[in-house]
Amino acid sequence: MKYKCTRNTNTQVTGAQAIVQGIAKDGGLFVPETLPQYTHKDFAEMQNGTYIDRAVKVLSDFLPEFTKEEITQCVAAAYKQEKFSGGHPAPISVVRSEKVHMNILELWHGPTCAFKDMALQLLPHLLTHSLKITKCDKTAVILVATSGDTGKAALEGFKDVDQTKMLVFYPENGVSLMQKRQMNTQEGNNVSVCAIKGNFDDAQTGVKNLFVNKQVCQMLEDNGMVFSSANSINWGRLLPQIVYYFSAYCDLLKAGTIKTVGDKINVVVPTGNFGNILAAYYAMKMGLPIHRLICASNSNNVLTEFLKTGIYDRNREFYTTISPSMDIVISSNLERLLFDVTEHDTEKVAGWMWQLSQTGRYQVDEKTLEAIQSIFSADYCDDKATEETIAKTYKNTHYLCDTHTAVAVYVYEKYLKETNDNTPTVVVSTASPYKFTDSVLKAVCANYDETADEFTKVQQLSKETETEIPAPISALEEKQVRFQNLCTPDTMLDELLNMLHLK
Ligand SMILES: *Cc1c(COP(=O)(O)O)cnc(C)c1O
């Protein structure tokens, strides 16, 4: 199994190299050359295994240069039961909500209460092994641009991991209070956090520019360091996400919700950078029986428009919403989908990405659009509908969902009305409602008091809805703020050099 680059046919690297490097030198993304194919027999086998067994199987097929022992070690360390609370035997949990005819795949029982833990608890282990395998003795310098959840999950995954340093940038006014507090109180000697005057795309563009800045790369190299990435452009982020789609399918089979291996499901994913839904797409291409992939956006609906028209246009107003982890107008992982549906046409993909960087817009050809639309449906949900969905879902089913999950629920219900497609459906739930306490409380509580402090609201939400406060959230109240730096897109480099003591 080798990895190619989405923009250049000459690049070929191993999985370990792809994980160390993060992004290709020309700005393209690493993608597997072929995808392993799973048969019904594989599903029967996986059904009998634990989550760890399922993850070991999938990862082994993608990372042949790792030994089975290494992979098992990585996976077992990542998904230790004490890190994933909620009393579940697996790090994920499929909740069946009878009244709304949905299966909700909760991916947020990890240490930071967002689905990104599923990948970011595993990535540091994959990275340190990859450094060893590629005989790299340099320190990996990991830059992260975050719209909230990635930052905390990455910090928590990488804190005090040998041979790594991490700097996280987040948009000053683009994350929830709880997310900000989670990041600014982060522990660990190798990590740092900085707010940026700008939105998520400014942060992401700034990080990408640093990655490809030859002078900076040379400076790092001269000092025994090398850039790496923990954003979902890193293959090591996507790979762990493929696992839970297989695992959820196995769990549904076991529970009898799906009667026979091979019966199809729909998957609805609240989407930002297109990483999570792309993992579902890869799972489908590997043989997971998926009928439709439904992409749910918030008011930053660039993907809805693209999937409906074939026109990707980032020249639009940017909205700061109550589902901030999806406040994105450049969805980086879409590039990998384009590569796949054009049957690896690097020239075409590079052309579109060049247009995007030059004009902020591109339009795919008819054939590409048809290929995409044969699999994907898309819609979006604004803040008002998000709040109404949280309230309605709670009232009708007693299921309390966070703002991102609510976007998916809304889009799914709309899809159902429009299509009457009664395929069993998995709605992906990406964060604990307590990560977005303010918005969730406002939606479900009649005597909501905006001025109350964040932790009072947490208590109130728990009382009002008789749900448990996740331990990592309650623990925040006691923690000291460690980071208060603020920079602009132009001074991100200074922040980096300061942190690395290169200035
Ligand atoms: C990151 C995130 C998303 C978006 O996931 P992508 O892989 O970027 O599409 C959705 N919901 C939550 C809570 C997130 O943290």
Side-chain angles (χ1 to χ4, degrees):
M1 166 80 67
K2 287 283 197 287
Y3 289 76
K4 298 210 274 195
C5 165
T6 49
R7 298 189 194 176
N8 176 343
T9 45
N10 296 325
T11 309
Q12 204 195 48
V13 298
T14 63
Q17 279 174 303
I19 290 170
V20 170
Q21 233 176 290
I23 185 168
K25 292 212 170 66
D26 58 8
L29 307 182
F30 292 118
V31 273
E33 210 167 42
T34 56
L35 293 168
Q37 295 301 312
Y38 291 175
T39 61
H40 289 183
K41 193 167 144 271
D42 292 303
F43 285 108
E45 250 174 59
M46 269 197 261
Q47 229 191 109
N48 295 325
T50 62
Y51 192 85
I52 305 276
D53 300 329
R54 294 167 187 172
V56 169
K57 173 174 173 60
V58 174
L59 265 72
S60 303
D61 289 333
F62 279 99
L63 300 171
E65 63 277 20
F66 283 60
T67 64
K68 192 114 188 200
E69 288 68 43
E70 279 176 316
I71 295 212
T72 309
Q73 247 176 34
C74 289
V75 172
Y79 301 130
K80 273 198 209 121
Q81 214 175 332
E82 62 263 33
K83 286 197 202 169
F84 284 78
S85 59
H88 305 286
I92 64 167
S93 138
V94 185
V95 179
R96 173 115 177 104
S97 181
E98 288 297 338
K99 284 191 196 150
V100 281
H101 307 291
M102 305 186 270
N103 304 285
I104 294 178
L105 174 58
E106 291 180 350
L107 298 173
W108 43 262
H109 295 285
T112 78
C113 306
F115 91 97
K116 291 186 173 71
D117 288 328
M118 294 303 298
L120 281 162
Q121 283 297 313
L122 184 49
L123 179 65
H125 300 285
L126 295 178
L127 180 65
T128 44
H129 278 88
S130 296
L131 287 166
K132 228 187 283 156
I133 290 167
T134 58
K135 302 205 166 33
C136 177
D137 56 7
K138 297 197 175 85
T139 296
V141 176
I142 298 148
L143 297 183
V144 177
T146 184
S147 52
D149 291 336
T150 306
K152 178 60 185 180
L155 289 161
E156 197 56 34
F158 278 93
K159 74 170 175 208
D160 294 324
V161 170
D162 285 347
Q163 233 186 315
T164 68
K165 283 185 197 285
M166 167 166 284
L167 174 56
V168 171
F169 294 99
Y170 70 87
E172 185 188 10
N173 298 316
V175 302
S176 79
L177 279 176
M178 200 57 87
Q179 288 176 315
K180 199 175 277 193
R181 191 167 176 94
Q182 278 187 314
M183 289 190 276
N184 289 343
T185 57
Q186 179 63 43
E187 289 150 8
N189 289 322
N190 60 336
V191 299
S192 189
V193 175
C194 183
I196 174 171
K197 281 185 196 281
N199 60 37
F200 169 72
D201 288 303
D202 298 320
Q204 177 160 261
T205 305
V207 162
K208 276 191 182 167
N209 289 342
L210 288 175
F211 271 128
V212 296
N213 184 324
K214 291 212 173 68
Q215 232 177 327
V216 179
C217 291
Q218 189 61 48
M219 201 191 294
L220 257 61
E221 168 126 28
D222 295 345
N223 289 279
M225 297 184 257
V226 62
F227 271 136
S228 188
S229 133
N231 273 88
S232 64
I233 49 175
N234 191 312
W235 176 250
R237 273 284 299 276
L238 280 176
L239 183 51
Q241 300 186 319
I242 296 175
V243 177
Y244 49 68
Y245 290 107
F246 282 103
S247 192
Y249 190 84
C250 291
D251 290 346
L252 289 173
L253 274 171
K254 262 190 154 163
T257 312
I258 301 171
K259 299 285 175 282
T260 323
V261 181
D263 286 359
K264 291 194 172 176
I265 57 170
N266 290 331
V267 178
V268 191
V269 187
T271 297
N273 220 1
F274 209 74
N276 204 1
I277 197 167
L278 183 73
Y281 173 80
Y282 283 136
M284 186 195 86
K285 297 282 290 207
M286 290 163 67
L288 188 69
I290 289 179
H291 174 53
R292 301 292 297 172
L293 288 170
I294 301 166
C295 175
S297 301
N298 64 24
S299 291
N300 296 294
N301 57 2
V302 65
L303 283 168
T304 312
E305 183 177 284
F306 174 73
L307 296 169
K308 283 185 193 282
T309 66
I311 298 170
Y312 195 98
D313 191 353
R314 65 151 302 181
N315 305 308
R316 56 178 62 235
E317 197 173 335
F318 180 91
Y319 298 100
T320 299
T321 73
I322 57 171
S323 45
S325 299
M326 292 152 62
D327 289 348
I328 288 176
V329 294
I330 303 181
S331 296
S332 304
N333 272 303
L334 191 60
E335 180 170 347
R336 286 186 163 110
L337 177 71
L338 295 174
F339 177 83
D340 201 78
V341 295
T342 58
E343 284 155 18
H344 303 193
D345 191 335
T346 51
E347 224 169 286
K348 246 187 200 172
V349 174
W352 290 327
M353 292 305 123
W354 188 80
Q355 281 178 32
L356 182 64
S357 71
Q358 297 301 305
T359 68
R361 183 184 189 276
Y362 62 89
Q363 176 164 19
V364 299
D365 53 275
E366 202 59 39
K367 189 165 160 242
T368 303
L369 181 60
E370 263 170 36
I372 293 173
Q373 288 181 338
S374 69
I375 302 155
F376 286 88
S377 298
D379 222 314
Y380 74 99
C381 171
D382 64 18
D383 277 357
K384 185 160 169 283
T386 304
E387 276 179 12
E388 284 166 5
T389 305
I390 295 171
K392 199 180 96 193
T393 309
Y394 181 69
K395 187 161 161 262
N396 293 343
T397 68
H398 254 65
Y399 186 77
L400 188 65
C401 54
D402 94 293
T403 48
H404 304 75
T405 308
V407 166
V409 170
Y410 174 87
V411 166
Y412 174 56
E413 286 176 344
K414 190 162 172 220
Y415 170 86
L416 253 188
K417 249 186 234 140
E418 285 169 5
T419 61
N420 287 319
D421 173 5
N422 62 1
T423 309
T425 295
V426 170
V427 175
V428 176
S429 175
T430 50
S432 155
Y434 284 91
K435 247 194 130 153
F436 304 93
T437 296
D438 192 50
S439 307
V440 174
L441 185 67
K442 187 170 166 211
V444 298
C445 178
N447 56 349
Y448 164 77
D449 172 12
E450 189 181 351
T451 58
D453 95 31
E454 194 70 3
F455 291 97
T456 310
K457 287 177 183 168
V458 165
Q459 294 295 344
Q460 197 188 349
L461 184 61
S462 176
K463 245 193 231 125
E464 190 85 22
T465 61
E466 295 174 338
T467 52
E468 212 174 306
I469 306 167
I473 298 282
S474 11
L476 278 181
E477 197 169 358
E478 305 293 309
K479 293 211 168 138
Q480 292 289 325
V481 170
R482 279 184 72 202
F483 303 105
Q484 288 176 300
N485 291 5
L486 176 65
C487 73
T488 66
D490 296 330
T491 57
M492 287 168 74
L493 176 58
D494 298 318
E495 285 295 327
L496 174 67
L497 297 180
N498 272 333
M499 179 203 179
L500 300 177
H501 308 295
L502 294 179
K503 230 179 109 168

